[in-house]
């Protein structure tokens, strides 16, 4: 079974959510439309709907995370699921239990869904291949490979602010090489029919042959930002950089930092996004991070 169809059941419905790659536009539109119907839930006095009542969701986080773990936990609770948070570094796998034995144990407790964050690319696919048939797996970020839920949240934000994708120029700026978020965003944006997707960054932080994904590459910040409608900034993923890919953070900011001055090259009503965590003064000036865009 290939990576891309592992997530679909024989009827073509989403069984696991592992990557955007391999999904077709109607599926992405449907996810965005369903999300739209839940927008009001967090703003009500009673922040709950019964969609997942009786279901048990397990957050399996092998890599530390605060924002992603808490947002998954909150989402599951607001949909009325029971939620278990398992921090793997302190769990039985550190006592020598194998990952699959641990998963089978959770299956025996009748859990329904695993949300997986792992430092290795392919981890969520591996788990999806080995779980019992009644379990669904959601990839909450695997290595440098994919982060489909972050990308869908970003598509949702873009659609709400900008409407139709076929009118838009979108630039993704920074450490594309180490970014699972960027890869998923590129697949989502191109599948949704975005007019132009650009990636901007130093040559050392842009993967070889990325043009084959349908993007235009810019090594100059100002040229790349010219007339774009959406600017997506990425964090410099220092923890994933083996050698010296960058001169210094100061010089990086001079060349690729988003400031009021560089942002002025984008369309006047361009929006600025960042998946977080933000490194102020490294990829983005505080004036922009705290600004109205
Ligand atoms: C990102 C991640 O972990 O992939 N954060 C997130 O999930 N929102 C991006 C990052 O770490 O820079």
């Amino acid at each position: 079974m290939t990576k891309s169809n592992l997530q679909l059941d024989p009827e073509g419905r989403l069984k696991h959510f592992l990557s955007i790659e391999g999904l077709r536009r109607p599926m992405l539109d449907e996810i965005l439309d369903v999300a739209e119907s839940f927008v009001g839930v967090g703003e009500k006095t009673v922040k709950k709907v019964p969609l997942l009542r009786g279901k048990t969701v397990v957050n399996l986080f092998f890599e530390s995370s605060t924002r992603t773990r808490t947002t998954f936990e909150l989402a599951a609770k607001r949909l009325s699921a029971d939620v278990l948070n398992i921090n793997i570094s302190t769990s039985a796998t550190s006592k020598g239990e194998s990952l699959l034995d641990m998963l089978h144990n959770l299956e025996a407790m009748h859990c329904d869904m695993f949300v997986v964050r792992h430092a290795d690319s392919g981890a969520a696919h591996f788990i999806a291949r080995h779980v019992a048939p009644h379990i669904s797996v959601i990839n909450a970020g695997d290595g440098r490979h994919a982060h489909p839920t972050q990308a869908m949240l970003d598509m949702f934000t873009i659609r709400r602010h900008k409407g139709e994708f076929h009118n838009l120029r979108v630039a993704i700026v920074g450490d594309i090489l180490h970014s699972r978020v960027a890869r998923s965003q590129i697949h989502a944006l191109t599948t949704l029919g975005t007019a132009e997707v650009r990636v901007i960054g130093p040559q050392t932080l842009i993967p070889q042959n990325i043009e084959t994904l349908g993007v235009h590459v810019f090594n100059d910040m100002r040229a790349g930002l010219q007339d774009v409608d959406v600017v997506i900034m990425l964090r410099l993923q220092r923890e994933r950089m083996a050698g010296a890919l960058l001169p210094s953070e100061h010089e990086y900011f001079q060349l690729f930092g988003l400031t009021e001055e560089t942002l002025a090259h984008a369309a006047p009503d361009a929006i600025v996004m960042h998946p977080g965590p933000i490194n102020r003064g490294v990829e983005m000036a505080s004036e922009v991070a705290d600004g109205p865009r």
Side-chain angles (χ1 to χ4, degrees):
M1 206 176 250
T2 65
K3 263 186 179 180
S4 49
N5 66 21
L6 174 65
Q7 55 188 345
L8 299 179
D9 71 11
E11 281 78 50
R13 288 173 311 207
L14 203 57
K15 160 79 180 156
H16 306 290
F17 192 25
L18 306 175
S19 67
I20 305 281
E21 196 180 357
L23 299 185
R24 289 142 75 98
R25 176 155 194 184
M27 177 81 73
L28 302 190
D29 284 331
E30 190 188 335
I31 293 173
L32 294 174
D33 292 341
V34 172
E36 196 75 53
S37 70
F38 289 112
V39 166
V41 174
E43 286 146 23
K44 290 200 202 122
T45 342
V46 178
K47 302 184 198 50
K48 261 205 201 297
V49 289
L51 187 78
L52 295 183
R53 195 170 57 194
K55 301 281 185 200
T56 304
V57 176
V58 187
N59 288 326
L60 282 172
F61 278 60
F62 297 83
E63 191 187 69
S64 67
S65 155
T66 309
R67 142 187 12 231
T68 303
R69 213 261 299 138
T70 48
T71 48
F72 267 101
E73 181 176 353
L74 259 187
K77 285 181 169 165
R78 286 180 180 171
L79 297 177
S80 307
D82 293 319
V83 183
L84 298 179
N85 290 311
I86 302 190
N87 177 353
I88 307 299
S89 56
T90 58
S91 81
T93 50
S94 62
K95 296 184 186 171
E97 184 185 38
S98 83
L99 169 63
L100 290 180
D101 285 339
M102 189 189 82
L103 295 178
H104 294 325
N105 209 266
L106 290 164
E107 286 169 8
M109 295 180 214
H110 302 288
C111 295
D112 300 285
M113 183 180 282
F114 295 154
V115 178
V116 180
R117 154 75 56 109
H118 201 291
D120 293 339
S121 301
H125 287 77
F126 174 83
I127 290 173
R129 256 192 299 274
H130 289 92
V131 287
H134 71 278
I135 304 238
S136 289
V137 177
I138 294 187
N139 183 6
D142 64 322
R144 299 185 193 183
H145 172 238
H147 197 341
T149 61
Q150 176 70 49
M152 287 312 291
L153 174 63
D154 297 331
M155 297 309 112
F156 186 78
T157 304
I158 293 171
R159 196 175 80 159
R160 284 215 126 198
H161 285 270
K162 293 283 163 196
E164 284 298 324
F165 288 89
H166 67 256
N167 295 322
L168 299 180
R169 285 199 189 99
V170 179
I172 306 174
V173 186
D175 185 0
I176 315 288
L177 183 66
H178 301 98
S179 178
R180 53 195 173 206
V181 175
R183 242 168 290 274
S184 287
Q185 286 169 337
I186 291 169
H187 286 297
L189 286 165
T190 54
T191 304
L192 288 166
T194 307
E196 187 185 1
V197 183
R198 302 178 180 178
V199 296
I200 309 174
Q203 204 57 51
T204 48
L205 295 181
I206 299 209
Q208 299 267 309
N209 302 324
I210 191 156
E211 294 89 346
T212 58
L213 298 183
V215 301
H216 293 145
V217 176
F218 291 79
N219 300 125
D220 179 87
M221 183 68 163
R222 288 163 186 82
L225 287 183
Q226 202 60 48
D227 300 324
V228 302
D229 303 290
V230 178
V231 185
I232 302 177
M233 300 303 297
L234 299 172
R235 185 175 65 87
L236 275 185
Q237 308 218 351
R238 284 279 184 199
E239 75 279 13
R240 297 186 193 276
M241 291 184 199
L245 292 174
L246 282 174
S248 72
E249 285 184 354
H250 178 72
E251 196 175 331
Y252 179 83
F253 185 69
Q254 295 302 314
L255 292 170
F256 295 101
L258 190 66
T259 60
E260 293 287 8
E261 186 269 312
T262 47
L263 180 57
H265 292 263
D269 60 348
I271 58 167
V272 176
M273 300 168 62
H274 193 307
I278 296 176
N279 290 152
R280 289 168 185 264
V282 180
E283 67 262 2
M284 188 190 264
S286 277
E287 62 191 18
V288 178
D290 302 329
R293 318 277 282 273

